[in-house]
Amino acid sequence: DAKTTQPPSMDCAEGRAANLPCNHSTISGNEYVYWYRQIHSQGPQYIIHGLKNNETNEMASLIITEDRKSSTLILPHATLRDTAVYYCIVRVDAAGNKLTFGGGTRVLVKP
Amino acid sequence: DVKVTQSSRYLVKRTGEKVFLECVQDMDHENMFWYRQDPGLGLRLIYFSYDVKMKEKGDIPEGYSVSREKKERFSLILESASTNQTSMYLCASSLPGGSGANVLTFGAGSRLTVL
């Protein structure tokens, strides 16, 4: 698996965009970038994933650099409920997968 | 709208007891997973299954076993619970490879305390 590197923590202001970086310089051509988050005392929640192109859904946007060595998850208008640990994972989409969650980024949205 | 249901939210057991953690999903997913989560150690994969009656060891299978007799149900078994198995246990499911194998839906978790 390609290893990912995320900052351990970051703060952002309520109502502002939150930009969460992830480095994955050893990513392979067939590996996707996945983002999950875990709100305190809950199970992780899938947010978004992408291969090469930028992706957007109702929760967030995913920007992947052209060389695919890094990506950014964007929460366009952060709310207090977005306070969570955010995990960036790189993996192929194949049977028998073992999805590994690293340390993630602890995001605190402040009023 | 509950899709992955874990039978018990909180359990307290004694050392040496046999413990069953049940997980049921209603999304007809092929893959199912059991993780445990501990402070400072993150999520660690215990076992996973990609088909009925199939199981694969994860990163920390010691002290655990699993059962998958039906597609929708994946059980985690602690044959003889020990205090170091006190943890939050998380079940998840996903579609097969090539169609979203890494888009996991998690349950709410089962917090097990072994005394």
Side-chain angles (χ1 to χ4, degrees):
Chain A
D1 300 345
K3 187 173 180 178
T4 61
T5 304
Q6 299 178 254
S9 65
M10 61 183 293
D11 295 345
C12 68
E14 186 180 19
R16 308 293 285 268
N19 296 292
L20 283 62
C22 181
N23 286 319
H24 31 80
S25 59
T26 59
I27 191 170
S28 300
N30 60 347
E31 288 183 309
Y32 290 76
V33 180
Y34 297 84
W35 283 85
Y36 283 78
R37 73 179 183 183
Q38 187 173 22
I39 296 169
H40 183 62
S41 297
Q42 297 182 22
Q45 176 190 24
Y46 163 80
I47 300 173
I48 198 167
H49 75 281
L51 182 63
K52 296 179 182 177
N53 300 322
N54 299 336
E55 303 288 342
T56 296
N57 63 19
E58 65 278 4
M59 292 182 67
S61 294
L62 173 61
I63 308 298
I64 303 174
T65 57
E66 195 167 339
D67 64 6
R68 302 209 323 123
K69 293 184 177 182
S70 66
S71 60
T72 301
L73 180 74
I74 301 172
L75 308 177
H77 305 286
T79 71
L80 300 180
R81 287 175 294 181
D82 291 321
T83 291
V85 178
Y86 288 77
Y87 298 97
C88 170
I89 303 166
V90 174
R91 202 68 172 89
V92 295
D93 184 2
N97 265 348
K98 298 195 305 182
L99 205 62
T100 302
F101 290 77
T105 297
R106 189 171 298 275
V107 174
L108 177 60
V109 180
K110 296 182 175 179
Chain B
D1 191 39
V2 176
K3 297 178 178 178
V4 177
T5 303
Q6 295 185 228
S7 56
S8 302
R9 191 79 170 95
Y10 299 95
L11 301 96
V12 179
K13 298 292 182 180
R14 296 206 175 274
T15 300
E17 279 193 79
K18 190 169 187 176
V19 181
F20 292 88
L21 298 179
E22 305 284 347
C23 175
V24 177
Q25 51 95 3
D26 64 2
M27 296 169 287
D28 201 34
H29 282 172
E30 278 74 9
N31 300 332
M32 295 189 76
F33 307 81
W34 274 106
Y35 289 85
R36 64 177 281 179
Q37 185 169 30
D38 302 286
L41 296 176
L43 279 89
R44 293 180 292 168
L45 182 64
I46 305 171
Y47 267 98
F48 66 105
S49 168
Y50 52 88
D51 202 352
V52 176
K53 297 192 185 293
M54 302 298 290
K55 60 184 179 184
E56 292 283 341
K57 292 181 180 179
D59 299 317
I60 52 162
E62 296 77 20
Y64 303 94
S65 62
V66 290
S67 172
R68 188 147 182 224
E69 295 296 320
K70 292 185 178 181
K71 188 176 185 179
E72 67 270 19
R73 186 179 298 269
F74 193 36
S75 303
L76 181 68
I77 303 156
L78 288 66
E79 294 289 342
S80 178
S82 63
T83 54
N84 62 13
Q85 292 179 309
T86 291
S87 186
M88 169 68 87
Y89 290 87
L90 291 156
C91 176
S93 70
S94 71
L95 289 166
S99 52
N102 298 322
V103 179
L104 272 59
T105 300
F106 280 84
S110 298
R111 185 165 294 282
L112 171 66
T113 301
V114 182
L115 302 176

